[in-house]
Amino acid sequence: MTIASVARVAEASLQVVADLQLPNGAYPASPDFVAYRGYCWFRDGSFIADGMSAAGAPASATRFFGWCAATIGQHADRMTAAVEAARAGTPLDDEAMLPARFTFDGGLGLDPWWDFQLDGYGTWLWALVAHLRRHHLPAEPYLPAVRLTVDYLVSSWHRPCFDWWEEHAERVHVSTLGCIGAGLEAVLAADLLDDGRASGARAAASGIRTLVRSQGTVDGHLTKWVGRSDVDGSLAALVAPLGWISPDDPVATATVAAIEDTLADDLGVHRFADDVFYGGGRWPLLTAFHGMARLAIGDEAGARADLDWIASTATDEGLLPEQVSDRLIVPDALPRWTERWGAVATPLLWSHGEYLRLWDALGRP
Ligand code: BGC
């Protein structure tokens, strides 16, 4: 890749995200992909907003966080019911908890989905605080939604739920724990909570760290879920940009190395070893997390190689896909997915958001 084409993909990324963002701030995950059409995820959206915030489009991020606060406000009763039930020792069923995605107007939507996921609620807190700090913005407009989210996470962080990939609801996933921990620690550090809430958040945040150290770490690296020993590509995000694992911590280096050894195929990172979704290709957004983590631990050349590889996956119009299908883990599984949902989601706005974040971290080459 030439330097110009790397910059061109950044420019296209800023443009495509801006063009597709709804006036109320919602980001579509992917505009035309049949399974995602019409929905905005807290996970994707928070990371996209983080990329836009860092890479020169803060107003877009502000609008997204406004959408998050409004959506949480719309579902305040549901959140409060979940908190009260958990406190009473009678937690709600998974189906009654908050979903991973909402329609653009903040509704629940009618399509069935693998909905009970906790990570996005932590990630929005983390990304919001990072954005407010980066641009010296006031926290007040978000405080009611932040408080509700903190109560929800404090009461439910330990529950098994679907992971980033909307799989394995029976497991406690380390990436999910890291996102929740990063969110709680961010609002604590920003001093956004009253004393009572802050002490609950501190206890939860420290409980998460203890659990991950004792049961979510094997051979010095983080693991995909509590009780499994291999890694998931999402774990790099806990090193950077989330910073929940300090780059000086040997766990950071060991996790990046384990991802490199087992999930990076030349350049480009797979989700996990037994992935069959669209045959299990390599994901630009995971490669961006890997690049950011490498940069954080001092491997700038590796991070730059990751950026170049991601740019090489863009279409002629500069659009980035969810995954690339040239080196599949299970090639035979690909037709099953294309028959069900069509071609790989392109553009995937989250891929663009992470590209922007890595591009910015590398000094906007
Ligand atoms: C991925 C999720 C993502 C969603 C929307 C799914 O295929 O597993 O992580 O949030 O797509 O992009």
Side-chain angles (χ1 to χ4, degrees):
M1 289 304 294
T2 64
I3 287 179
S5 63
V6 164
R8 203 181 78 75
V9 176
E11 207 177 295
S13 296
L14 286 162
Q15 194 65 49
V16 73
V17 175
D19 286 351
L20 292 171
Q21 185 174 24
L22 277 288
N24 70 355
Y27 292 122
S30 183
D32 304 318
F33 188 69
V34 63
Y36 305 165
R37 199 165 48 205
Y39 286 91
C40 176
W41 271 252
F42 262 58
R43 169 182 45 257
D44 297 42
S46 300
F47 279 124
I48 296 163
D50 181 57
M52 293 296 270
S53 169
S60 167
T62 299
R63 272 197 292 142
F64 174 74
F65 294 125
W67 178 86
C68 293
T71 299
I72 286 168
Q74 230 168 293
H75 298 280
D77 288 352
R78 196 179 173 101
M79 243 178 181
T80 306
V83 172
E84 284 172 1
R87 284 183 184 154
T90 52
L92 299 184
D93 291 345
D94 290 2
E95 296 69 37
M97 300 292 280
L98 274 290
R101 63 180 202 168
F102 295 87
T103 54
F104 300 148
D105 61 1
L108 296 178
L110 298 173
D111 306 285
W113 199 253
W114 302 270
D115 253 329
F116 176 40
Q117 302 172 29
L118 291 167
D119 62 280
Y121 293 92
T123 307
W124 105 268
L125 293 179
W126 164 80
L128 170 71
V129 170
H131 175 64
L132 299 178
R133 271 191 203 287
R134 191 180 287 124
H135 299 289
H136 312 289
L137 296 168
E140 278 67 34
Y142 308 98
L143 289 180
V146 165
R147 290 187 195 113
L148 272 171
T149 308
V150 166
D151 291 349
Y152 181 70
L153 292 174
V154 166
S155 69
S156 304
W157 67 265
H158 52 277
R159 285 179 66 152
C161 66
F162 289 109
D163 65 0
W164 276 36
W165 315 127
E166 304 171 317
E167 296 181 351
H168 296 290
E170 75 288 3
R171 300 289 178 182
V172 175
H173 301 274
V174 174
S175 294
T176 299
L177 291 172
C179 291
I180 300 171
L184 293 176
E185 290 177 16
V187 294
L188 283 165
D191 206 9
L192 300 187
L193 306 176
D194 55 82
D195 289 351
R197 242 186 212 101
S199 82
R202 254 192 301 277
S206 120
I208 292 169
R209 285 203 178 270
T210 304
L211 178 60
V212 170
R213 289 284 163 182
S214 59
Q215 295 178 57
T217 313
V218 168
D219 293 338
H221 63 73
L222 300 173
T223 63
K224 182 170 169 59
W225 63 58
V226 167
R228 180 165 161 162
S229 60
D230 59 347
V231 284
D232 185 286
S234 59
L235 293 165
L238 304 192
V239 178
L242 286 151
W244 188 68
I245 300 289
S246 158
D248 306 327
D249 185 334
V251 171
T253 325
T255 302
V256 173
I259 290 172
E260 212 149 300
D261 291 349
T262 60
L263 297 178
D265 184 349
D266 182 17
L267 291 161
V269 176
H270 295 280
R271 294 196 302 180
F272 50 90
D274 42 356
D275 189 11
V276 298
F277 182 55
Y278 279 80
R282 295 177 291 168
W283 284 52
L285 71 93
L286 289 181
T287 309
F289 285 128
H290 184 57
M292 283 182 260
R294 282 166 117 181
L295 185 62
I297 63 174
D299 179 9
E300 186 172 344
R304 179 57 205 261
D306 286 329
L307 185 78
D308 289 348
W309 179 79
I310 301 167
S312 79
T313 71
T315 66
D316 291 346
E317 298 77 40
L319 303 181
L320 294 172
E322 181 177 61
Q323 60 172 288
V324 288
S325 309
D326 53 349
R327 299 184 188 192
L328 300 175
I329 298 175
V330 192
D332 290 353
L334 176 62
R336 154 154 56 99
W337 289 97
T338 47
E339 277 154 32
R340 183 175 176 191
W341 285 346
V344 166
T346 310
L348 187 87
L349 271 65
W350 188 9
S351 297
H352 286 284
E354 276 347 303
Y355 181 83
L356 286 170
R357 190 62 157 87
L358 176 59
W359 175 71
D360 178 71
L362 281 164
R364 305 189 186 181

